[in-house]
Amino acid sequence: MSSKEKILGTAIVLFAQKGYSGLSMRQLAQAVDLSVAAIYHHFPDKNALYLEAVRFAFSDKEQVFAQVWESGCSAEEKLGGFIRSLIDVMLQDRDFHRLMQREIQEADPERMQLLAQGVFNRQFCFLLQLVTELAPEQDAHLVATSVIGLAKYYIECQPLLKNFPGWKSEHERPEVIAAHITNLVINSLKVKTA
Amino acid sequence: MSSKEKILGTAIVLFAQKGYSGLSMRQLAQAVDLSVAAIYHHFPDKNALYLEAVRFAFSDKEQVFAQVWESGCSAEEKLGGFIRSLIDVMLQDRDFHRLMQREIQEADPERMQLLAQGVFNRQFCFLLQLVTELAPEQDAHLVATSVIGLAKYYIECQPLLKNFPGWKSEHERPEVIAAHITNLVINSLKVKTA
DNA sequence: GTCTATATGGCGATAGAC
DNA sequence: GTCTATCGCCATATAGAC
């Protein structure tokens, strides 16, 4: 692995943990066992390094959901499969997920557009199509975002949710969360179509 | 208003905007029109100031939902009212909401427990009770957290969601979001009970 | 309670040798 | 490509006058 890749991979993790201003170039240099000057050889400044690290983390997410869309399942099963994959991806690549969180929180409009169009657009469109197929009379955008929001919330708020009454240990199992969300959404769609 | 209160109130806003390490004592001092040393007269160090600011922001949220619970409405109407209030509170007090976000993201287990038990517990229990009443056979914790998660997601991801196909300007109106979430949840509960 | 002045150290970034 | 050494600046925090 090249130094540049090592820097980018480590930067993702550390930026996700500490945020942009929370991570110093010295700390990053120490983490990758290089000098600060060596990092500056590969990147013009801290901000450029950050942007490249975000893009680097984005780069290999596209085909995770492909098998769901390409499967011969029914629309309902596809929705269940998508929700399950979404949760698995979020749980598996927590660094990426945290980086996303920070990006969304800063809410820079330009950056949001880049993110939506350059990263998530394909998957969102597939989901939109699926929802339209399942319940053509509903607002597909609202339903699609509900699906994503539910998954996202369960993952990122788990440490908080554990402390409320009624919590069970099974609530942190991905298949349980996925089944609940799938049920919630599909049942809701059924009422209107029935 | 005392200097201490002015410092705390300003700190909430700025910490929410910039994060802990993103806000310097100099910037805060300038914002409240005091010297850095004056701030250090009121707080032993930056971390203590941060903690006190978080607690300060927490302190006046308890009775916002009281009228919903105390209203003579049906359980269904109460759920709708709670969702609407939740969205309004989140939209209105964005600084508090952003501070919450940062706290949840850092996910310190001890801090999470304090938050759950010291801040949100009462409201969560009311919601839990309401859900149990509406659909006794369902997992109330899962349903209750779904309600909160949906509301939270629509508020905090709005800048991102705007950029996806299918978005309409009405999606940022609180009553539209609230109606959608209420429908989603209540319809879903109906299927199982029907 | 608030100030000015300052100690001490980490920050981003660069110069120049190898 | 990587290093050591360094610049200039800003950070947190403190001392002591008013």
Side-chain angles (χ1 to χ4, degrees):
Chain A
M1 188 168 49
S2 72
S3 282
K4 189 166 180 175
E5 281 171 336
K6 195 167 68 177
I7 294 168
L8 286 173
T10 308
I12 291 165
V13 179
L14 295 181
F15 275 130
Q17 272 172 27
K18 301 156 167 273
Y20 182 80
S21 56
L23 174 65
S24 72
M25 298 298 267
R26 286 163 147 84
Q27 289 171 328
L28 176 58
Q30 197 177 13
V32 294
D33 205 32
L34 285 172
S35 70
V36 173
I39 296 179
Y40 276 97
H41 171 76
H42 294 285
F43 306 95
D45 56 31
K46 188 185 180 182
N47 197 53
L49 163 65
Y50 175 73
L51 284 172
E52 202 157 329
V54 173
R55 278 195 287 262
F56 183 73
F58 284 170
S59 61
D60 55 10
K61 302 290 159 202
E62 270 294 41
Q63 59 270 66
V64 182
F65 299 97
Q67 55 180 343
V68 175
W69 305 129
E70 288 161 11
S71 75
C73 298
S74 69
E76 249 185 56
E77 286 168 331
K78 275 187 188 171
L79 182 59
F82 171 77
I83 291 171
R84 180 62 204 268
S85 304
L86 189 61
I87 288 171
D88 286 344
V89 165
M90 283 177 173
L91 278 175
Q92 202 189 342
D93 202 341
R94 290 196 105 108
D95 295 324
F96 177 77
H97 185 235
R98 284 226 283 235
L99 247 178
M100 286 293 71
Q101 263 304 99
R102 285 195 190 273
E103 284 288 323
I104 287 167
Q105 212 169 320
E106 284 180 31
D108 177 71
E110 219 175 293
R111 200 82 71 87
M112 287 300 100
Q113 202 188 334
L114 218 115
L115 230 84
Q117 289 175 8
V119 186
F120 297 122
N121 195 59
R122 268 181 80 81
Q123 303 310 318
F124 190 85
C125 284
F126 275 121
L127 179 59
L128 219 52
Q129 212 178 318
L130 192 61
V131 170
T132 309
E133 198 178 321
L134 282 164
E137 81 289 357
Q138 292 221 4
D139 187 323
H141 187 280
L142 279 177
V143 176
T145 49
S146 294
V147 168
I148 301 165
L150 283 166
K152 195 165 160 299
Y153 180 70
Y154 278 108
I155 304 307
E156 78 194 25
C157 291
Q158 224 172 63
L160 180 66
L161 298 178
K162 270 181 200 223
N163 295 289
F164 287 121
W167 186 82
K168 303 167 194 157
S169 63
E170 65 186 60
H171 290 170
E172 58 191 343
R173 279 165 52 203
E175 70 272 22
V176 173
I177 303 170
H180 166 71
I181 297 174
T182 307
N183 258 318
L184 187 70
V185 174
I186 285 183
N187 283 348
S188 156
L189 296 179
K190 272 183 188 155
V191 168
K192 285 247 170 144
T193 54
Chain B
M1 188 168 50
S2 72
S3 283
K4 189 165 181 175
E5 281 171 336
K6 195 166 70 177
I7 294 167
L8 285 173
T10 309
I12 291 164
V13 179
L14 295 180
F15 275 131
Q17 271 171 27
K18 300 155 167 274
Y20 182 80
S21 55
L23 174 66
S24 73
M25 298 298 266
R26 286 162 144 83
Q27 289 171 326
L28 178 58
Q30 197 175 14
V32 294
D33 206 30
L34 285 172
S35 69
V36 172
I39 296 180
Y40 276 96
H41 172 77
H42 295 284
F43 307 94
D45 56 30
K46 188 184 180 182
N47 197 54
L49 164 63
Y50 175 72
L51 284 172
E52 202 156 329
V54 173
R55 277 195 287 263
F56 184 73
F58 283 170
S59 59
D60 55 10
K61 301 290 159 202
E62 269 293 39
Q63 60 271 66
V64 183
F65 300 97
Q67 55 180 345
V68 175
W69 306 129
E70 288 161 10
S71 75
C73 298
S74 70
E76 251 187 53
E77 286 168 331
K78 275 187 189 171
L79 182 60
F82 171 77
I83 291 170
R84 181 60 206 269
S85 304
L86 190 62
I87 289 171
D88 286 344
V89 165
M90 284 176 172
L91 278 175
Q92 202 189 342
D93 202 340
R94 290 197 106 109
D95 296 323
F96 177 76
H97 184 236
R98 285 226 282 235
L99 248 177
M100 285 293 70
Q101 263 302 100
R102 286 196 190 273
E103 285 288 321
I104 287 168
Q105 212 169 319
E106 285 181 30
D108 177 73
E110 219 175 294
R111 199 84 71 86
M112 288 300 100
Q113 201 188 334
L114 218 116
L115 231 84
Q117 288 174 9
V119 186
F120 297 124
N121 195 60
R122 269 180 79 82
Q123 302 311 317
F124 190 85
C125 285
F126 275 123
L127 179 59
L128 219 52
Q129 211 178 320
L130 194 59
V131 170
T132 308
E133 198 178 322
L134 282 164
E137 81 291 356
Q138 293 222 2
D139 187 324
H141 187 279
L142 278 177
V143 177
T145 50
S146 294
V147 168
I148 301 165
L150 284 166
K152 194 164 160 301
Y153 181 70
Y154 278 107
I155 305 305
E156 78 194 25
C157 292
Q158 225 172 62
L160 180 66
L161 299 178
K162 272 182 199 221
N163 295 289
F164 286 121
W167 186 82
K168 303 165 193 158
S169 62
E170 65 185 60
H171 290 171
E172 59 189 344
R173 280 163 53 201
E175 70 272 22
V176 173
I177 303 171
H180 166 71
I181 297 175
T182 308
N183 258 318
L184 187 70
V185 174
I186 285 183
N187 284 347
S188 156
L189 295 180
K190 272 182 190 157
V191 169
K192 285 247 170 145
T193 54

